[in-house]
Amino acid sequence: MKLKDKVLSRLIKENTYCSGTNLSEEFGVTRTAIWKAVEQLKAEGYQIAAVPRRGYLLLQKSDIFQEDTIQELLKGCHINWKIQPYHMLDSTNRLAKDLAAQGASEGTVIMADVQTAGRGRMGKSFHSPKGGMYMSIILRPDMAVTSMMSITACTASAVHMALAEYGIISQIKWVNDLFLHEKKIGGILSEGSFQAESGRMEYLVIGIGINVHPDPEMPEELKPIVTDLETETGRNVPRYALAALILKHLEKFISEIENYTYLGIYQKHSCTLGHIVRTDDGREGKAIGFTKDAGLVMQLENQKKEVIRTGSVKIIR
Ligand code: BTN
């Protein structure tokens, strides 16, 4: 992590002035290096007061770091959500998995403003610049590992519902992608650990990434296929409020998972159903429905039906 990001993370956590001397001792650098790091942050648009003999104070915290506001919005929830915000991480899923393996409790949520090594499904990377909403949720559901796909689908439905509260009607591409106007606006990566003997989950980490604001440095190859909420709708969706709404809807869908309430939303807003799709191993067929646990039912050319439960599909037409 660069010094400026370490300094920013420290200023975000403090509600009072941080002295330059303390920061320089903490990070093992000179006070001039701290001053330079603060100047870089100011150039990036962070408002930081520098007062002689008191130190540095971050005046306006990034919206995602309004931890208290998120907690306020989550009042009345049954899950004890505990928000841990970071400015920059390699991957919120990586940290959440490490914490879960060390015993972090259900409801721990890791958020980051930027990810330097965001992970996508199938070993792909997930481009995670400033302006996105990146969070990973630790759950400890008493479920068989085979239910993991339902939770990913629950999460996609929860994201859809949260966006709908802003009048944004997204579409869900099986199994984990969120689309708006035929371009990807976000994705979900569920990872977990289970007990080999019982096949029950030990913990589940659900990672959600949503492109909220435009990325001025978006790689050329992503431009035709990826977009963000602000570009598509002109709306400035506050990331902290979006995160809180997703958690609320997710909690509700999970509590009703045995009634499959999430599935109605998942089906209604699917952009996969009715299309000819191709699986990763090259089979083609029409997507005609979902099983209760969100497997994709495909009708093959020989009219036989097949349920796809792993990998991804490409929409052909
Ligand atoms: C995909 O589109 O393939 C899934 C993308 C999942 C990205 C999110 S961002 C927050 C969390 N941390 C990660 O490293 N990945 C997930």
Side-chain angles (χ1 to χ4, degrees):
M1 205 188 263
K2 289 183 188 155
L3 179 63
K4 74 176 171 66
D5 294 310
K6 288 187 197 165
V7 171
L8 182 58
S9 296
R10 189 74 175 75
L11 295 182
I12 284 162
K13 290 216 157 64
E14 283 299 328
N15 284 322
T16 179
Y17 283 86
C18 281
S19 87
T21 310
N22 286 354
L23 289 169
S24 65
E25 280 168 6
E26 185 174 337
F27 300 128
V29 296
T30 61
R31 283 175 53 193
T32 311
I34 297 291
W35 176 80
K36 278 188 185 157
V38 169
E39 288 303 305
Q40 281 172 1
L41 291 168
K42 283 186 182 169
E44 285 177 21
Y46 292 96
Q47 291 177 32
I48 299 170
V51 177
R53 285 185 293 281
R54 294 188 76 184
Y56 301 106
L57 176 70
L58 185 61
L59 295 175
Q60 193 185 29
K61 298 196 176 183
S62 148
D63 64 2
I64 205 148
F65 295 115
Q66 297 187 6
E67 191 182 342
D68 299 346
T69 319
I70 304 181
Q71 293 291 173
E72 189 66 29
L73 291 172
L74 291 169
K75 268 191 181 155
C77 282
H78 298 296
I79 295 178
N80 179 14
W81 298 112
K82 293 165 289 290
I83 311 296
Q84 293 190 20
Y86 289 81
H87 166 55
M88 183 182 277
L89 281 177
D90 51 349
S91 154
T92 54
N93 262 36
R94 195 276 306 152
L95 178 59
K97 277 177 76 179
D98 286 356
L99 294 176
Q102 290 160 25
S105 59
E106 164 154 297
T108 304
V109 180
I110 309 298
M111 291 184 177
D113 233 2
V114 177
Q115 294 185 118
T116 53
R119 302 178 186 172
R121 284 184 79 228
M122 324 284 289
K124 291 184 188 155
S125 61
F126 186 78
H127 181 60
S128 314
K130 193 172 163 188
M133 200 273 324
Y134 312 109
M135 72 171 166
S136 297
I137 304 159
I138 299 177
L139 294 176
R140 295 189 178 276
D142 182 17
M143 278 179 186
V145 68
T146 45
S147 305
M148 212 160 137
M149 193 178 259
S150 331
I151 304 246
T152 302
C154 264
T155 311
S157 297
V159 174
H160 171 92
M161 293 299 288
L163 292 174
E165 296 208 24
Y166 293 97
I168 301 171
I169 307 302
S170 58
Q171 290 202 294
I172 304 169
K173 179 178 168 284
W174 186 85
V175 59
N176 68 326
D177 283 340
L178 274 302
F179 272 65
L180 196 57
H181 307 156
E182 297 181 1
K183 286 184 170 183
K184 182 162 167 165
I185 47 145
I188 296 159
L189 173 66
S190 304
E191 302 184 85
S193 166
F194 66 97
Q195 286 172 346
E197 274 178 21
S198 63
R200 310 296 285 178
M201 283 187 215
E202 268 169 20
Y203 63 79
L204 183 60
V205 166
I206 308 175
I208 306 170
I210 308 288
N211 308 326
V212 178
H213 302 297
D215 168 21
E217 288 165 21
M218 185 185 292
E220 280 305 313
E221 68 275 16
L222 293 182
K223 285 184 181 167
I225 48 174
V226 172
T227 189
D228 63 273
L229 298 177
E230 189 181 327
T231 301
E232 295 304 312
T233 67
R235 302 212 45 182
N236 182 5
V237 175
R239 290 174 301 163
Y240 67 89
L242 179 62
L245 283 172
I246 293 173
L247 294 173
K248 276 185 154 177
H249 284 286
L250 179 62
E251 170 173 315
K252 184 165 184 298
F253 283 135
I254 289 179
S255 71
E256 296 167 357
I257 199 157
E258 275 155 24
N259 306 331
Y260 306 102
T261 14
Y262 71 92
L263 208 53
I265 300 295
Y266 196 78
Q267 266 167 344
K268 184 168 175 205
H269 297 283
S270 165
C271 59
T272 312
L273 282 187
H275 287 276
I276 304 295
V277 296
R278 186 185 298 139
T279 61
D280 297 325
D281 58 6
R283 282 167 299 155
E284 280 188 20
K286 188 170 182 178
I288 57 167
F290 299 110
T291 58
K292 283 191 163 176
D293 60 354
L296 178 67
V297 185
M298 251 174 81
Q299 185 154 40
L300 304 176
E301 280 174 352
N302 60 11
Q303 298 308 308
K304 274 198 177 154
K305 286 182 191 164
E306 195 163 322
V307 179
I308 314 296
R309 295 188 192 279
T310 52
S312 60
V313 292
K314 202 174 161 81
I315 298 177
I316 306 295
R317 59 183 182 275

